[in-house]
Amino acid sequence: MKAVYEMTGIKRRMVEDLEKPPSVWLEYSYDKKIVADGWYFAFYEGEDRKFYNDRIKQYLSPDFNTYHCGSRENVLDIYKKINEHSERRELYFIDKDYNLKRNDNSDIYETERYSIENYYTDTHVLKEILKNEMGMNISSKDYEEVIKRYEKLHGDFIAEIKDFNILGAACIHSGMSIELNKLNLEKNICISIDKIETKIDLKFESLIEHYQNKLEEDVRRGKKNARSNFDSFTKNKMKIIKFYEEYGEIISEEIENFTRGKNDLWFLKQFIELLKQLNKQGKFSKKYQSFYLEVSKNQLSSLGGYVETPKQLIDYLQSFA
């Protein structure tokens, strides 16, 4: 069993090494010598190709290679290395994340929102799902009511997790990494067709206390790096609070662009599951047949065709033509 764990660790490190700038650079350099003239080279943080590849084909060219860089920082590092002798055949895609300052480099595309997942939760996407997956006509009262409920609930959800996202931004800008999953957000929010309910207080002060309690629990259990994580949080706690006081209102005014994509997409998945339940229970004006959409697996691909392409992305891609 120990050998299995050791091999798993080795395999994980090998994958991480392949995503580091030197490895990506070597792969890119090799490919560039082999492919025909006119090819493009796209660099992504992670699995973003599932969203971007079809857009590159549509608005630029079908001839391109893609590279998984592992993080926003790695994409930027690759850009710095390649830009010294670039022929402007390279495309760079990064998420905005919790950054306050926008990227103003025209060579790099940065999402307007936290990440590409946030575009999947636009009302337009749900409308397409209702029409194509559920068979619900635009003229039906069911359609009108579902859209109205979705827009209200989605707004309420974003408002409920506002301080959760401000906490994430505060930690990052205070020089401290935070494991937001420790707050178990998805287990502490219940979504019904009428309302959003929370099991814990999601206000900023309560979240700080809750997170610190989680770190203390890790220390008691002797988890790896638990002591250093706890010390780092307590050391930066006042900086985190100060960030909230200085920037909390600013972020609140455009919270849609600071809402963590993973959680936003989770909301859409929960709402679709809720529609399935209501349909099964006969809560609509009629029973809609063949509503089998599974968004829990590979959602970036399965829903990608329903997402509208941002104008900024179209402009970015066409600037390379």
Side-chain angles (χ1 to χ4, degrees):
M1 184 64 72
K2 181 179 179 182
V4 172
Y5 286 131
E6 289 175 349
M7 286 302 294
T8 301
I10 291 170
K11 185 177 180 181
R12 182 174 63 252
R13 288 194 295 274
M14 288 175 65
V15 171
E16 290 172 352
D17 286 342
L18 288 173
E19 294 171 350
K20 289 180 179 178
S23 296
V24 175
W25 163 260
L26 287 174
E27 184 181 0
Y28 156 77
S29 299
Y30 176 78
D31 291 346
K32 194 172 183 181
K33 294 175 183 177
I34 295 177
V35 299
D37 291 340
W39 274 59
Y40 293 89
F41 306 90
F43 298 88
Y44 305 135
E45 292 185 29
E47 296 184 8
D48 302 350
R49 65 182 180 280
K50 296 175 182 179
F51 172 77
Y52 287 118
N53 279 7
D54 286 340
R55 274 78 183 173
I56 295 174
K57 290 177 187 176
Q58 181 178 358
Y59 295 104
L60 181 58
S61 169
D63 302 325
F64 61 93
N65 279 7
T66 66
Y67 304 91
H68 187 297
C69 298
S71 71
R72 173 190 169 99
E73 290 72 24
N74 286 351
V75 173
L76 296 176
D77 285 345
I78 283 291
Y79 168 74
K80 291 174 185 175
K81 191 170 183 64
I82 292 176
N83 190 50
E84 298 172 4
H85 39 77
S86 173
E87 299 173 6
R88 198 161 162 74
R89 312 294 300 180
E90 295 82 20
L91 311 169
Y92 305 91
F93 302 90
I94 58 175
D95 292 336
K96 184 185 79 66
D97 297 336
Y98 286 127
N99 289 287
L100 296 176
K101 185 179 179 181
R102 302 289 313 184
N103 164 63
D104 58 2
N105 188 332
S106 61
D107 292 336
I108 302 170
Y109 177 76
E110 179 184 82
T111 56
E112 287 186 278
R113 305 181 198 175
Y114 181 96
S115 67
I116 59 169
E117 283 87 349
N118 297 102
Y119 296 107
Y120 283 67
T121 65
D122 282 344
T123 302
H124 169 81
V125 174
L126 180 65
K127 288 179 178 180
E128 293 300 308
I129 290 172
L130 294 180
K131 288 186 290 183
N132 298 321
E133 305 293 343
M134 198 168 182
M136 192 177 282
N137 290 324
I138 297 176
S139 56
S140 72
K141 288 190 175 181
D142 288 339
Y143 180 91
E144 181 182 343
E145 184 63 24
V146 168
I147 295 301
K148 185 172 72 174
R149 294 291 182 98
Y150 177 79
E151 291 179 338
K152 171 67 166 59
L153 283 174
H154 191 214
D156 290 346
F157 175 73
I158 290 174
E160 283 287 355
I161 66 172
K162 178 190 70 175
D163 282 1
F164 169 86
N165 283 295
I166 296 176
L167 174 61
C171 289
I172 297 300
H173 287 276
S174 298
M176 193 205 90
S177 62
I178 180 172
E179 296 179 59
L180 287 172
N181 291 339
K182 285 186 179 298
L183 294 170
N184 293 322
L185 185 68
E186 294 167 3
K187 291 183 178 180
N188 287 304
I189 291 185
C190 299
I191 301 172
S192 69
I193 198 64
D194 298 309
K195 59 187 175 181
I196 304 285
E197 293 182 297
T198 60
K199 297 178 182 178
I200 61 172
D201 187 352
L202 294 178
K203 295 300 181 184
F204 189 82
E205 298 81 2
S206 297
L207 288 171
I208 284 184
E209 182 181 351
H210 189 52
Y211 188 72
Q212 186 166 327
N213 290 340
K214 289 287 185 181
L215 293 178
E216 289 175 343
E217 186 178 326
D218 287 348
V219 172
R220 288 195 298 271
R221 292 183 175 182
K223 287 191 175 182
K224 186 178 180 181
N225 300 323
R227 173 53 63 180
S228 60
N229 290 338
F230 177 79
D231 291 343
S232 175
F233 184 75
T234 53
K235 177 184 176 182
N236 289 286
K237 188 173 178 179
M238 293 311 299
K239 285 172 34 177
I240 293 168
I241 294 172
K242 185 178 180 181
F243 178 92
Y244 176 77
E245 292 171 348
E246 290 184 3
Y247 296 101
E249 265 189 55
I250 296 173
I251 293 176
S252 296
E253 288 174 359
E254 51 174 315
I255 193 61
E256 291 83 0
N257 293 334
F258 284 90
T259 298
R260 193 166 170 239
K262 176 183 177 181
N263 303 121
D264 203 13
L265 189 54
W266 173 81
F267 171 83
L268 174 65
K269 291 190 287 185
Q270 293 301 114
F271 190 83
I272 291 174
E273 290 304 314
L274 184 59
L275 292 182
K276 288 181 180 179
Q277 294 173 20
L278 293 174
N279 187 46
K280 189 175 181 180
Q281 295 166 3
K283 299 295 184 180
F284 294 116
S285 62
K286 68 174 187 178
K287 186 78 174 285
Y288 294 92
Q289 306 296 327
S290 305
F291 187 25
Y292 304 127
L293 179 64
E294 294 293 339
V295 294
S296 58
K297 298 177 181 178
N298 210 16
Q299 55 263 23
L300 292 186
S301 295
S302 61
L303 298 178
Y306 296 144
V307 181
E308 289 187 316
T309 305
K311 182 181 183 303
Q312 290 82 354
L313 176 56
I314 296 173
D315 292 343
Y316 173 75
L317 294 173
Q318 291 182 339
S319 73
F320 288 85

